[in-house]
Structures are given as C-alpha cells and as structure tokens.
Amino acid sequence: MKDIIYNLVPIITERLYINEITVDDLIQIRMETKYEDMYKMTCRPIMNREGSELAEFYKNIIKKENAFIFSINRKEGGLVGKISFSDFNPRNRSLELGYYEIPRFRKNGYMKEALISLLNIFFEKIKINKIYAQTGSFNAESIGLLENLKFKQDGVLRNHHKLNGKLYDDYIFSMLYNEWQCFKSATGI
C-alpha cells in the first residue's frame, strides 16, 4: 500500500506542495520546535534525541510499513509541517491521523488545506473506512480544526495527558468514508 500512496504525491494545492517526508524535513521541524511544545502535543513519551541518533530514529519511522508521513511546504518555499497516517488496520480499513504545524505558520489555514487533499486521497483512492485522531482536551486549535473538517468526537480518554503536572483528558475524533462524502458535497470539494 505504501508504494500506491506515495505514487500519488506530490500533491499541489492552491498554496501548498505536499510530498513524502524526508529525514531532513523531520529534523527541520524538530529544530523549529521547542521541546516543551512537542511534549505538549502528545501524551506519549518523547525521547530527547539529537544528531545521528535523531536522524536514525526518524529514518526508522519513515521506513515503517504502516506509516505514511507527508511534508507540507508553501509553494513559495518554507516547510510548514507534517501530516502522518499510521497504524493501518486492514480488517476495519482504519488509520490514525497525526499532524503538526511549525508555530510560525499557524492560523493561516495551511493544515486544513493539506488535510483536505490527503483525506481525499485516503478516502477516495485507498478506500479507507475510518480516519481517527487523538488530541488533548486543552488543545483548542486542534479540536477546532477537526470539528471544522466535520470529524465527530467518539470518546474521551480520561486523565490521559499529563502536562505541567496536571492530568487532562484526551479526545478521540473520527471521520467515516460516508461522512467524508457528505463533507465533500456540502463544501463543493
């Protein structure tokens, strides 16, 4: 499946160039992100790797058979962020969505623009049934993005995300293939 998906890129949107991510892209995102900001966006442990250890770690992530990671670049230049689809489940045809935008590019609609293009590929060309995402209850921007794309909140992982000594809930959102069809019809995509 990996070769099928990566044969569909690069994707060029109105303002963006979306492509298979490279180790250099991941390192650039890491260098432009404070450790505290990265730590805030995931409930999973983050190892503070550097240099060749970090490059090797990213190389192994990119090689995973069930992980599809894309770089988001502005057409005029500048790496904006990344979008990943992972943990493909062939039985129920689902994928987990992850995304990160370099702070200085936020609030420009880049992530929504990129997600619409990639969601369309996974739902229409790959025939994924469900794409789901997990985000901290404190992350209003991420929640707003998912709701704006008409993802539905499926559940709550209570006290799942420790940040600054306090435990927060994490929310699980998802979109089904038929909901994507409704979103496309309603928005004229």
Side-chain angles (χ1 to χ4, degrees), residues 152-171:
K152 308 283 188 258
Q153 186 176 338
D154 290 341
V156 177
L157 298 171
R158 298 177 302 140
N159 286 342
H160 195 76
H161 199 130
K162 189 172 184 178
L163 181 64
N164 299 327
K166 183 178 175 187
L167 285 167
Y168 293 88
D169 295 342
D170 262 9
Y171 297 151

Side-chain angles (χ1 to χ4, degrees), residues 40-42 99 106 134-146 161 163 168-171 173:
K40 176 182 173 184
M41 295 303 155
T42 182
Y99 45 87
R106 292 180 185 160
Q134 179 177 326
T135 190
S137 58
F138 56 84
N139 193 341
E141 288 180 14
S142 182
I143 293 165
L145 174 64
L146 293 168
H161 199 130
L163 181 64
Y168 293 88
D169 295 342
D170 262 9
Y171 297 151
F173 286 85

